[in-house]
Amino acid sequence: PEEEKAMRIENRWFERRRIDDDITLIWEPYVDPLIRCNIWHVRGRDRDMLIDTGLGIASLRNASQDICDKRLMAVATHTHFDHIGGMHEFDERVVHESEAAIMTDGSSPMMLRACDFSKAELNELSDLGYPVERDELITAVPEAAFDIAAHTTKPAPSTWSVRESDRIDLGNRNFEVMHLPGHSPGSIGLWEEATGILFSGDAVYDGALLTNFPGSDLDDYVRTMLRLRELPVRVVHGGHEDSFGRERLREIADKYLRAWEQVGVTSAHQIPR
């Protein structure tokens, strides 16, 4: 048999783009879009905030040191593996109380290969517009010693288990925690009323929403969508895909609400893209 080809090594694992004076988008370019989450850095007067931390394949803390010049809080919008891989690197870790135990336990497997999914899951993801076309969902590694099959999340006990209406104060910026279950039991958004900015995690983004994970709940998701469509947002920075405004948010919410009203809709692959 042919020897397995070694994956190329990329020393610069993260890319980033400045959105405005305070907000920077960080992402992992060598990760398949299915599991490549948006990592948001928000600069505050008194402290900074990181929203989600990617896969933990390379050190996010090291890669973001030059833009994090003060006390830093890492917030998990939910505990799916593609969002919490780097949480263990940070001293202050925030997650919704209903998913705090997952971060404490750690050792969640990373689904970095096609073989980590069932055939039914792969078919469904393809129908949703997220085809898995390679054996691996990463196209490079940060070092030769990285073992794609052995990579897991690490224990990262929360230092603050938040709930609805808690506030994250950065000094000159203040975010309200919105509990937005549906995608997962403890999904949260961070809402800054003064600017109309919502960091929505995977509760809503401009792509096919996945509702078949363990812990997903369509009844909860309906309530979340009804709530989101009435929020006076200016811009939504989601957990995946590009940012968007209020009109697009209402379009997304209305599409899913219509689909979920249909009798017998029980899985995401029945929902139109």
Side-chain angles (χ1 to χ4, degrees), residues 4-224:
E4 191 174 328
K5 188 178 178 182
M7 209 174 284
R8 79 174 186 270
I9 298 170
E10 293 288 348
N11 294 320
R12 182 184 171 93
W13 187 255
F14 297 95
E15 294 290 346
R16 65 194 191 204
R17 182 172 72 248
R18 191 170 176 176
I19 304 302
D20 59 28
D21 288 346
D22 291 339
I23 298 173
T24 300
L25 170 62
I26 305 171
W27 72 96
E28 299 173 280
Y30 307 107
V31 174
D32 186 278
L34 173 65
I35 57 171
R36 183 175 63 222
C37 91
N38 292 331
I39 301 163
W40 300 99
H41 174 260
V42 184
R43 184 187 303 278
R45 185 192 65 215
D46 300 335
R47 65 195 307 177
D48 289 359
M49 173 170 64
L50 270 175
I51 303 168
D52 292 328
T53 58
L55 292 168
I57 289 174
S59 174
L60 176 61
R61 186 183 184 97
N62 291 345
S64 59
Q65 273 183 338
D66 62 315
I67 57 171
C68 298
D69 57 1
K70 54 180 74 71
R71 184 177 169 190
L72 179 64
M73 169 190 294
V75 181
T77 60
H78 62 299
T79 58
H80 289 157
F81 70 88
D82 51 328
H83 293 256
I84 63 166
M87 289 295 291
H88 68 280
E89 291 193 283
F90 301 96
D91 295 332
E92 294 186 59
R93 298 177 295 271
V94 177
V95 68
H96 190 265
E97 59 183 1
S98 66
E99 295 188 22
I102 295 171
M103 290 220 316
T104 299
D105 292 344
S107 299
S108 296
M110 293 276 180
M111 300 175 78
L112 303 182
R113 304 167 298 167
C115 64
D116 295 326
F117 296 83
S118 70
K119 187 173 181 181
E121 288 170 334
L122 292 173
N123 289 338
E124 181 173 329
L125 289 168
S126 182
D127 289 344
L128 284 165
Y130 294 109
V132 179
E133 297 172 334
R134 295 170 42 89
D135 292 336
E136 299 90 10
L137 275 72
I138 58 175
T139 58
V141 292
E143 57 185 2
F146 179 78
D147 185 347
I148 189 171
H151 187 54
T152 63
T153 60
K154 293 182 173 60
S158 69
T159 58
W160 183 13
S161 298
V162 294
R163 59 180 65 180
E164 171 74 24
S165 299
D166 280 345
R167 293 193 170 271
I168 295 176
D169 186 359
L170 304 184
N172 59 331
R173 308 195 67 149
N174 195 285
F175 293 87
E176 178 185 350
V177 174
M178 297 182 68
H179 185 206
L180 303 173
H183 180 74
S184 76
S187 285
I188 61 170
L190 300 177
W191 165 239
E192 188 175 43
E193 185 177 13
T195 61
I197 292 173
L198 173 68
F199 291 99
S200 63
D202 284 5
V204 65
Y205 51 85
D206 198 359
L209 304 182
L210 306 181
T211 62
N212 274 357
F213 289 104
S216 297
D217 186 291
L218 277 183
D219 290 335
D220 282 344
Y221 227 146
V222 166
R223 288 187 285 270
T224 284

